[in-house]
Amino acid sequence: MTGYPHVTNAFLFDLDGTLTDTVYQHVLAWKEALDEEGIALSVWRIHRKIGMSGGLFTNMLLRETGLAIDQELLDRLRHRHTQAYKRLASGVVPLPGARDLLDTLTELNIPWAIATSGRMETARPALEKLGVDPERAAVVTRDEVEYAKPDPDLFLAAAARIGVDIASAFVVGDSIWDMIAAKRARALGIGLLSGGYGREELERSGALRVYEDPADMLTHLDEVGGRRGLAQ
């Protein structure tokens, strides 16, 4: 016995690039932060790391530059990224179908939560545009777990927050880091192309299904189930 009610499906969503069109704002914010520190790194290299935890992200990027890494530099980069992202946040919009997808799941009484590698200070603008109140909805951010993606902690915490067994949940994300974390958490992965990763990349990383964006996933929701079951 797991102590959880019998739920046939639940959905744990990444935020940036999955529900909100915010991947490239983060890319540009990191680019600005790196430039301000005199660290030259191509935009495409930054994009490939979006979706993992900020600390691991900066460690990997700095390794590619061959620079010495210290906590003071990492803290400065995170602060610069946060400030740059806040300036770009006015352009944040939900991805097509994102609100309708969450509303439909709620109407069908299907549990859902949001688990993001971002901290609340950067996640809040996207949540506001999405119409999700973190005080009322199940939202887990980087602030609340020891390790973020590709570790499974965020999704495990999100499943616990809504009271479901992780094995009955789908993790919905746009990056390979989401799919790796889903696999490590023992959840099934659903990939979305809306964050810039390709279909084959997501499938190789463990995605059971791949859709273009939340609207496409909503259209095919029956492929991944859509009912809440009761224990017999």
Side-chain angles (χ1 to χ4, degrees):
M1 298 291 292
T2 64
Y4 294 114
H6 176 66
V7 177
T8 57
N9 277 327
F11 293 87
L12 312 176
F13 292 93
D14 171 52
L15 181 60
D16 298 304
T18 298
L19 294 172
T20 56
D21 194 10
T22 43
V23 166
Y24 295 101
Q25 284 92 338
H26 279 292
V27 170
L28 294 174
W30 280 116
K31 175 64 174 171
E32 181 177 323
L34 290 162
D35 285 348
E36 288 177 353
E37 289 290 337
I39 301 171
L41 203 64
S42 301
V43 169
W44 74 269
R45 290 188 181 275
I46 298 172
H47 175 259
R48 302 299 295 178
K49 305 298 188 295
I50 294 294
M52 61 171 56
S53 73
L56 182 58
F57 171 90
T58 48
N59 281 337
M60 292 185 69
L61 289 180
L62 291 174
R63 275 204 303 270
E64 292 186 16
T65 67
L67 295 174
I69 301 171
D70 61 63
Q71 190 59 49
E72 184 178 341
L73 174 57
L74 296 179
D75 290 343
R76 284 203 311 272
L77 283 171
R78 187 167 76 90
H79 175 73
R80 292 184 187 279
H81 164 263
T82 298
Q83 296 308 307
Y85 179 78
K86 286 180 177 178
R87 291 196 300 273
L88 297 168
S90 60
V92 168
V93 295
L95 282 160
R99 288 176 176 168
D100 290 340
L101 176 57
L102 296 182
D103 288 345
T104 297
L105 293 176
T106 299
E107 290 168 6
L108 292 173
N109 200 30
I110 297 174
W112 60 268
I114 294 173
T116 174
S117 286
R119 297 179 185 273
M120 183 56 75
E121 59 187 348
T122 54
R124 191 176 296 279
L127 292 169
E128 289 176 353
K129 295 293 181 69
L130 191 59
V132 172
D133 182 354
E135 302 300 321
R136 303 179 63 181
V139 177
V140 179
T141 66
R142 178 67 181 88
D143 312 89
E144 302 172 66
V145 297
E146 185 173 2
Y147 300 107
K149 294 174 284 189
D151 285 283
D153 301 33
L154 279 165
F155 295 122
L156 291 170
R161 183 74 57 85
I162 57 175
V164 301
D165 186 341
I166 189 69
S168 70
F170 285 99
V171 164
V172 185
D174 65 287
S175 75
I176 62 173
W177 315 111
D178 295 311
M179 298 302 102
I180 293 171
K183 188 182 296 185
R184 295 176 70 181
R186 298 179 297 107
L188 296 174
I190 297 173
L192 300 185
L193 300 176
S194 43
Y197 278 89
R199 180 179 301 273
E200 290 185 359
E201 291 179 292
L202 294 170
E203 289 176 342
R204 284 199 305 268
S205 301
L208 178 68
R209 293 283 189 274
V210 177
Y211 302 107
E212 290 184 1
D213 54 21
D216 188 31
M217 178 180 163
L218 178 57
T219 300
H220 297 91
L221 192 59
D222 58 325
E223 295 180 353
V224 290
R227 65 181 179 84
R228 178 169 181 156
L230 300 176
Q232 300 296 317

